[in-house]
Amino acid sequence: MTASPHVVVVGAGTLGMCTALNLVEQGARVTVLEAQSIASGSSGRSVGVVGSQLTDPFEILLRVHSLRRFRQWEGEGLRFNHIGYLRLARTQAQIALFARSVEIQVEAGLRSRLVRANELRQLVPHINPDGLEGGLFGPDNGFLDPYEMCNFLAGIVRANGGEIRQYRKLLGVERRAAGYRVETSHGMMDADAVVNAGGAWAPQVAALFGQRLHIWPERHEAVVIHLDEPLGYTMPMVMDLVNGEGSGLNFRHEKPGELIAEIHKVKSIAPEDPDNYNDQCEEQSKVDLAELLLERVPDLPGARLGRGWAGLYPVTADHRPFVGPIDASEPALVTAAGAGGYGIQLAPVIGQIAADWVLQGAPVSVPGSQCLAPSAERNVPDH
């Protein structure tokens, strides 16, 4: 590849923008193609949580890389709300996993601590601790506005000479001796490499290149909770889900007198069509959410459900993102997609790994991340 390759990044969500940023920082010429507007897909519908309270060492490592970048961007003006993140444990086995997570995080320079059941109300005075053994708490975790994040990164990409072309849909592609000629809704363009960061549309993008990408656009819903009066404290992000076990309920502070809750177990028997799905919260989901909230935080002052919306989680069969080439014989076509509900918090490190694949031919900057490549063993149907 040339010293200053021209890379086309398809998709202007968080993964696409982080990839574009990492590429321009390393001297590549970058054009981002976005079929709609910046952050118009899953990114703009996310609740924007960034947390490191997980139990898998590799998943924590990925977030160490991401959080380093978030700190940098925060210093450059990106707003980040450090409300903390509390993951709930229902069993002693989960508490044991949490204790190991604390060790891994502290060793990596992150703040995290175990919280026993009788201490939960010190963090969330309204929580009902019945049935809980405790939790894992990271005081520095929090949330950001993904739309703001994408536009913040777009400003840096443009300042570094990158181009972002909105309302430019990818229509076709032709392989050339040294890369690709891509056809867009506004003309043709030559590229030395292409990154597919199309989110829920990534399988459609892959198909234009004759590739099969197994990503399942899974429906998820979020709802605003209005309170009669502001709480006397800032509600951290509270998550009742550990490695697939738990109710899936999660909620967090949004602003005084307002929380946001998300339902992680929306019933979806078929992949959603990203071009034609119901982007409003279904009434049954609100009923289910109300029941879970009454169980876990029964005494919120005058809590009532407000507007809701739905978005899509692009998920893979093993629920880890695809970052790398699908076909080793075609290294200039790199996928960066399928991060599910963790796309916002993993975007900085996914962008870093994707740029490595494009410019170095391997993920040299993140140890162990070769396992994220969409190999034949991983790129399989989810259902």
Side-chain angles (χ1 to χ4, degrees), residues 78-147:
L78 178 64
R79 290 187 304 165
F80 192 107
N81 304 279
H82 296 278
I83 62 171
Y85 188 116
L86 173 65
R87 189 178 288 271
L88 303 175
R90 292 169 175 259
T91 66
Q92 281 297 322
Q94 291 175 348
I95 288 288
L97 288 173
F98 284 1
R100 179 64 185 134
S101 176
V102 169
E103 293 175 2
I104 296 169
Q105 292 191 67
V106 170
E107 190 176 329
L110 304 178
R111 290 202 299 164
S112 181
R113 63 183 171 90
L114 273 182
V115 181
R116 298 299 174 180
N118 61 2
E119 300 170 321
L120 287 170
R121 282 188 168 146
Q122 295 173 18
L123 291 172
V124 186
H126 287 90
I127 200 165
N128 171 15
D130 291 353
L132 299 176
E133 291 290 338
L136 178 64
F137 182 64
D140 300 323
N141 293 170
F143 73 97
L144 48 74
D145 180 333
Y147 177 82

Side-chain angles (χ1 to χ4, degrees), residues 342-364:
Y342 295 114
I344 307 300
Q345 56 189 263
L346 288 178
V349 69
I350 288 175
Q352 181 180 338
I353 297 167
D356 278 354
W357 276 109
V358 172
L359 301 176
Q360 311 293 334
V364 295

Side-chain angles (χ1 to χ4, degrees), residues 19-324:
T19 301
L21 176 62
N22 277 274
L23 287 165
V24 297
E25 286 177 337
Q26 296 178 62
R29 292 186 300 119
V30 175
T31 303
V32 179
L33 297 180
E34 168 54 53
Q36 296 295 319
S37 58
I38 292 173
S40 59
S42 296
S43 293
R45 295 182 162 273
S46 165
V47 298
V49 170
V50 176
S52 54
Q53 309 315 306
L54 291 103
T55 61
D56 181 275
F58 180 63
E59 295 289 348
I60 295 170
L61 167 73
L62 292 176
R63 285 156 179 82
V64 169
H65 283 272
S66 277
L67 287 165
R68 189 178 301 138
R69 287 292 268 182
F70 280 125
R71 280 194 294 271
Q72 176 194 336
W73 296 335
E74 189 178 7
E76 296 170 0
L78 178 64
R79 290 187 304 165
F80 192 107
N81 304 279
H82 296 278
I83 62 171
Y85 188 116
L86 173 65
R87 189 178 288 271
L88 303 175
R90 292 169 175 259
T91 66
Q92 281 297 322
Q94 291 175 348
I95 288 288
L97 288 173
F98 284 1
R100 179 64 185 134
S101 176
V102 169
E103 293 175 2
I104 296 169
Q105 292 191 67
V106 170
E107 190 176 329
L110 304 178
R111 290 202 299 164
S112 181
R113 63 183 171 90
L114 273 182
V115 181
R116 298 299 174 180
N118 61 2
E119 300 170 321
L120 287 170
R121 282 188 168 146
Q122 295 173 18
L123 291 172
V124 186
H126 287 90
I127 200 165
N128 171 15
D130 291 353
L132 299 176
E133 291 290 338
L136 178 64
F137 182 64
D140 300 323
N141 293 170
F143 73 97
L144 48 74
D145 180 333
Y147 177 82
E148 184 180 317
M149 173 182 166
C150 288
N151 281 280
F152 170 82
L153 297 176
I156 302 175
V157 169
R158 291 182 177 119
N160 281 272
E163 292 188 44
I164 300 165
R165 300 187 179 180
Q166 300 177 75
Y167 302 99
R168 300 288 177 96
K169 187 169 184 179
L170 184 65
L171 300 177
V173 62
E174 174 189 332
R175 287 171 175 80
R176 297 166 63 84
Y180 304 93
R181 170 160 286 181
V182 297
E183 179 188 358
T184 79
S185 52
H186 286 65
M188 308 293 285
M189 183 183 305
D190 289 334
D192 297 299
V194 174
V195 177
N196 177 3
W201 290 267
Q204 298 176 19
V205 174
L208 293 175
F209 290 83
Q211 294 188 340
R212 186 77 184 272
L213 187 63
H214 292 288
I215 287 177
W216 182 275
E218 188 176 83
R219 178 186 180 82
H220 283 256
E221 298 175 345
V223 180
V224 173
I225 303 168
H226 297 287
L227 307 176
D228 277 350
E229 56 192 60
L231 302 175
Y233 62 97
T234 298
M235 181 80 76
M237 173 71 182
V238 180
M239 168 67 81
D240 183 8
L241 195 67
V242 183
N243 302 330
E245 298 178 4
S247 69
L249 172 68
N250 69 83
F251 51 92
R252 65 160 173 83
H253 166 88
E254 170 68 6
K255 55 190 176 186
E258 191 172 295
L259 308 177
I260 283 184
E262 195 178 14
I263 307 155
H264 264 281
K265 291 190 174 179
V266 174
K267 295 177 180 62
S268 179
I269 58 171
E272 296 280 352
D273 177 356
D275 291 313
N276 184 27
Y277 74 100
N278 175 18
D279 64 0
Q280 300 302 303
C281 187
E282 295 174 350
E283 285 307 309
Q284 185 58 47
S285 298
K286 290 187 175 183
V287 172
D288 295 343
L289 173 62
E291 290 177 353
L292 292 173
L293 287 168
L294 282 170
E295 174 192 13
R296 191 53 65 203
V297 280
D299 299 317
L300 286 174
R304 61 195 184 282
L305 301 183
R307 67 183 181 88
W309 67 95
L312 300 177
Y313 282 3
V315 299
T316 65
D318 63 5
H319 293 269
R320 278 186 168 172
F322 287 152
V323 196

